[in-house]
Amino acid sequence: MTTLLHPGPAPTPRQLILNGIFAENPVFRLALSLCPAVAVTTSVLNGLLLGVAVLAVQVLSSVTVTLVRGLIHPRVRIPVYTIIIAVWVSAIDMALAAFFPALYAQVGLYVKLIVAFAIIISRLEVFASRQPLVPSFFDGLGMGLGFLLALLAIGAFRELLGSGSFAGHAIAPGKPLLFLTLPAGGFFSIAILMAFFNWIEARARRGREGSAPAPRAAAGGTHGV
Amino acid sequence: MKPVSREVVRIAASMTVACAAGAAILGVVYVATDRYREASALRTEREAVATMLGIDSTTTVVEVRQYLEPARREVIYRAAPFGVPGAEGREVVFGLDGALVGAHALPAGEPVAKTLEPLGRVFVAIRDGRAAGFVVEGEARGYKNFIRFFVALRGDFEVAGVRVIQHEEDPGLGAEVATGWFDGQYVGRSAEEVARLEVTRDPMPEDWRAALVALSRRAPGSGAVHDSLLARERAKPIYAVTGATISSRAVTDGVRVTVEHFRRRWALLAPHLGGMA
């Protein structure tokens, strides 16, 4: 799926984090977990809250899988990964309900859905189950940050153009493009931002033409919620 | 043992260990957080009761908890001043047929026996020595899980407000039943009207929706607009949330049953609460 997995010098933490944010951004590059990316990003705040929760679950699950993978029977590794994710999600769910009830009232329903996010289990299978602890931690961090920033970008785009506000504060009079807050508008927003992402990368690639070939976009593969 | 079956045993053991470890971790987290979750849920409830009853300095609130004693086939009501720790309460006991078994004072801090099954709670606002309003706790089976709600009633049992306290309906669909504009539809309907309340999938008239949104935001003048439109709408059914008829019907049926049961119980209970109501 990526050049990082090929034998060679081990990737640095910085490379791993940037990989999650740009080269293999979960939403704009891998096109994984698009369903929640559409469902919750009607505002910046919703995107931020879910993004932080996904970041926490991704890092914790990646680290857990790296630590216990020797004990997992390879034939049932996927169910065990799911259990690991479910345990972390439930623990975070209970902690949020206990200590941040106001926050939980807003994101509680979405937090439970993280169990089924394709991006998390795919990083466990592709990366954390094969790599040492420290790279797995930074891969999880990079992927979580990539997802968080993508949700923030989509949320800002939709809230700004759809509701004419930013983080709940009205900026424009009225609602410029109310359509964008609807689910269909979510897909359009992601497509527009993805095209923008591609354009930036194409320009950057032209800038360093002749140097090392840039990693190929890895969109496609396993799709899921 | 054949190699294949040994493999199966190893796989089963691996899964079992993983599940057991996960369950153990969740158990620890649950025990560590449950206390705080309950405390914060209680705070939310107190705020809801206070705002729905419009509590001011002239109002006191009595909390009445209802229990079932299965062995003796009795229904037990325990009333105590709400939010006043250490205050004396009152216990009233009925048989299942509604006949009074006994009523007596209840010392503060009297523990609830483990055999008692909680049936529900009512908060009674007392103003000038009379019951001026009620907040009744209700529960309805929603799309996935139970929906818990409070129904606020005036002294004459007209609905003063409905608020969904806890639910797990889908965001953007069933979760809309927890919004002010949906719950505002019940406000102002008499107990007799609530008893006949039905749900329709017809689209909600735009002026009615605008009035309900304004009312839920407590916009100035929204009460008068709501009252004038209510004259037209009170004979009509509740408009379901688009795409969430099941959740809308659940709340409506829940409100109807809760109000009906409460009226019957209050008629029985009120004469025996002594000085409390």
Side-chain angles (χ1 to χ4, degrees), chain B residues 126-144:
Chain B
I126 314 280
R127 202 172 291 145
D128 306 325
R130 297 183 45 186
F134 313 92
V135 172
V136 191
E137 185 182 41
E139 209 173 50
R141 201 180 280 272
Y143 193 64
K144 279 187 282 197

Side-chain angles (χ1 to χ4, degrees), chain A residues 73 76 83 87 98-99 109-110, chain B residues 7 11 14 19 22 26 33 169:
Chain A
H73 194 288
V76 289
I83 291 171
V87 166
F99 302 113
L109 288 160
Y110 304 125
Chain B
E7 183 76 355
I11 290 174
S14 181
C19 290
L26 287 185
T33 58
E169 304 303 287

Side-chain angles (χ1 to χ4, degrees), chain A residues 15-212:
Chain A
Q15 279 175 330
L16 284 168
I17 291 178
L18 289 179
N19 177 57
I21 298 177
F22 296 107
E24 284 194 38
N25 185 290
V27 177
F28 296 134
R29 276 282 167 271
L30 305 184
L32 288 174
S33 299
L34 286 185
C35 172
V38 168
V40 305
T41 53
T42 48
S43 73
V44 177
L45 197 63
N46 277 357
L48 175 71
L49 295 175
L50 187 76
V52 170
V54 169
L55 174 64
V57 174
Q58 178 76 71
V59 171
L60 291 167
S61 305
S62 286
V63 167
T64 312
V65 164
T66 317
L67 290 176
V68 302
R69 65 186 171 206
L71 311 170
I72 302 172
H73 194 288
R75 296 282 284 274
V76 289
R77 65 185 190 286
I78 299 292
V80 174
Y81 295 163
T82 314
I83 291 171
I84 290 171
I85 299 171
V87 166
W88 281 118
V89 168
S90 307
I92 289 175
D93 188 68
M94 286 191 259
L96 279 181
F99 302 113
F100 303 99
L103 186 70
Y104 185 74
Q106 292 201 9
V107 294
L109 288 160
Y110 304 125
V111 167
K112 293 188 179 75
L113 297 178
I114 297 177
V115 178
F117 278 20
I119 176 61
I120 294 177
I121 201 156
S122 86
R123 285 333 279 184
L124 300 186
E125 170 72 0
V126 170
F127 203 98
S129 62
R130 298 156 197 210
Q131 299 283 330
L133 178 62
V134 174
S136 292
F137 171 80
F138 283 106
D139 178 70
L141 191 64
M143 284 294 152
L145 280 175
F147 194 73
L148 168 67
L149 293 175
L151 289 196
L152 271 183
I154 304 166
F157 185 82
R158 291 176 74 183
E159 191 181 346
L160 212 55
L161 293 178
S163 314
S165 61
F166 186 81
H169 301 288
I171 293 180
K175 299 182 173 178
L177 281 169
L178 184 60
F179 152 75
L180 285 181
T181 58
L182 301 175
F187 282 107
F188 276 94
S189 307
I190 290 179
I192 291 168
L193 288 169
M194 207 182 259
F196 182 67
F197 214 80
N198 287 344
W199 180 70
I200 298 228
E201 192 173 329
R203 274 189 59 132
R205 201 177 309 167
R206 258 205 308 279
R208 49 186 152 82
E209 197 86 287
S211 60

